[in-house]
Amino acid sequence: MSSPDIAGILDKSKELDQLRKEQEEVLTEINKMHKKLQATPEVVEKPGDNALAKLKALYVHAKELSENEMNVSNLLLSQLDALLPSGPPGQPRRRMEGNEQKRKRMKNDSDISRMSPSVRSQLELFASLKGEQVAARVMVTTEDAEKEEWLVVKVLHFDKETRELEVLDEEPGDDEEGGGQRKYKLPMTAIIPFPKRTDPSSAQDFPTGRHVLAVYPGTTALYKATVVNGHRKRKTDEYLLEFDDDEEDGALPQRVVPFHKVVALPDGHRQ
């Protein structure tokens, strides 16, 4: 093993350590922002407040650091693999294949442990959603074209490597040919977990006037709505909402929606 090879590995190790330190610093800032928003959620309603924009920038930075960490880690693994001595010439092929498979499994198992705490906790959260109902953004085909809709679906499986979820729309479709239950494979960004049904305290405390995404009563579809009264102020487990485009006799009726069917309105919502 030559000195330049060792020096290259040490340099990458230092780079990896620095990336992890930066990730810890960004995670600390994210946690501070979370505590601030939980303590004073009304601050985002104030003109000129940039709390949400700052939080988004922190998450973008955290993602970039995580991806850089993974790239450096993979490069280090490649350098180490190149320097490791190969087995003796007479070693059975079957044994070598077994060791290779074992090393691949070990690499895959260690991928998650090398991730930043924020990314690791996010993956663990999505892995725990199996069997749960969530809000999902899907593309639905109509007679005219495809359109984006938010639906209540059931999580069947989460693949940590591809970071995709397999979900099931349990409601039969309207069209005659594809009228059965439908499965989708969706990225994590197309999924929003609901608050826990058994824990009203897990629901975000949306102030009056806040725009949210909620399940319309009697359906499994989610639409944009405005909070008329939050469930905490009513001391019940429900929100009082007015849904967009839900006009009746020239006015928007107020609908009661359980807290576990209401989530924050995603950025760039177009429905």
Side-chain angles (χ1 to χ4, degrees):
M1 188 180 296
S2 64
S3 296
D5 292 333
I6 294 293
I9 291 174
L10 292 177
D11 286 342
K12 289 299 176 186
S13 298
K14 291 178 182 178
E15 185 178 348
L16 193 60
D17 288 339
Q18 182 60 36
L19 283 169
R20 287 176 174 169
K21 287 178 182 178
E22 291 181 26
Q23 285 177 325
E24 292 293 342
E25 292 173 359
V26 172
L27 183 60
T28 298
E29 291 300 315
I30 288 175
N31 288 335
K32 287 181 181 178
M33 289 296 298
H34 284 173
K35 290 179 181 178
K36 177 183 176 182
L37 292 174
Q38 288 171 357
T40 56
E42 68 279 0
V43 70
V44 298
E45 299 292 329
K46 296 181 179 179
D49 181 80
N50 64 345
L52 293 180
K54 183 178 179 181
L55 184 60
K56 181 179 179 180
L58 286 170
Y59 270 112
V60 170
H61 191 196
K63 180 183 177 183
E64 291 173 349
L65 290 172
S66 177
E67 291 172 347
N68 290 340
E69 178 191 8
M70 189 174 296
N71 292 335
V72 174
S73 296
N74 289 336
L75 185 56
L76 265 172
L77 284 172
S78 299
Q79 290 175 324
L80 290 169
D81 283 343
L83 294 174
L84 287 173
S86 58
Q91 190 173 18
R93 176 176 174 81
R94 184 177 178 182
R95 175 72 178 276
M96 290 179 67
E97 288 178 345
N99 287 343
E100 180 66 21
Q101 290 298 323
K102 182 179 179 181
R103 188 162 61 186
K104 286 181 178 179
R105 286 197 301 270
M106 292 174 64
K107 176 182 179 298
N108 291 336
D109 292 342
S110 64
D111 278 344
I112 294 178
S113 64
R114 293 198 306 271
M115 294 176 184
S116 66
S118 60
V119 174
R120 189 162 60 246
S121 63
Q122 189 178 30
L123 291 178
E124 290 171 354
L125 167 64
F126 276 84
S128 70
L129 293 175
K130 184 177 180 179
E132 299 286 337
Q133 286 190 330
V134 297
R137 185 180 70 243
V138 301
M139 295 301 297
V140 177
T141 303
T142 64
E143 293 181 358
D144 300 327
E146 284 192 336
K147 65 175 182 177
E148 183 180 279
E149 288 188 0
W150 282 90
L151 304 175
V152 177
V153 299
K154 180 180 180 180
V155 177
L156 300 178
H157 176 69
F158 174 58
D159 189 326
K160 288 185 178 180
E161 291 187 14
T162 62
R163 302 190 184 185
E164 287 185 331
L165 296 95
E166 183 179 6
V167 301
L168 175 67
D169 178 7
E170 299 178 279
E171 286 294 314
D174 294 330
D175 56 296
E176 294 181 1
E177 294 182 3
Q181 297 178 336
R182 299 178 180 176
K183 291 183 180 180
Y184 300 91
K185 281 193 175 182
L186 303 172
M188 294 166 58
T189 52
I191 298 293
I192 303 178
F194 285 120
K196 293 185 180 299
R197 181 192 297 263
T198 56
D199 183 13
S201 65
S202 67
Q204 190 170 341
D205 201 3
F206 298 113
T208 299
R210 175 70 60 84
H211 295 310
V212 296
L213 195 64
V215 179
Y216 189 85
T219 75
T220 57
L222 293 92
Y223 300 94
K224 181 180 177 183
T226 303
V227 176
V228 177
N229 222 342
H231 77 286
R232 295 182 191 279
K233 291 182 180 179
R234 289 165 54 88
K235 299 185 184 299
T236 69
D237 297 342
E238 301 167 335
Y239 283 100
L240 195 60
L241 307 175
E242 290 180 349
F243 285 87
D244 286 14
D245 303 321
D246 188 30
E247 188 172 319
E248 288 184 0
D249 300 326
L252 290 177
Q254 297 179 352
R255 311 281 186 185
V256 174
V257 180
F259 76 92
H260 58 272
K261 296 298 183 184
V262 181
V263 296
L265 187 71
D267 290 338
H269 178 72
R270 297 194 302 271
Q271 185 172 290

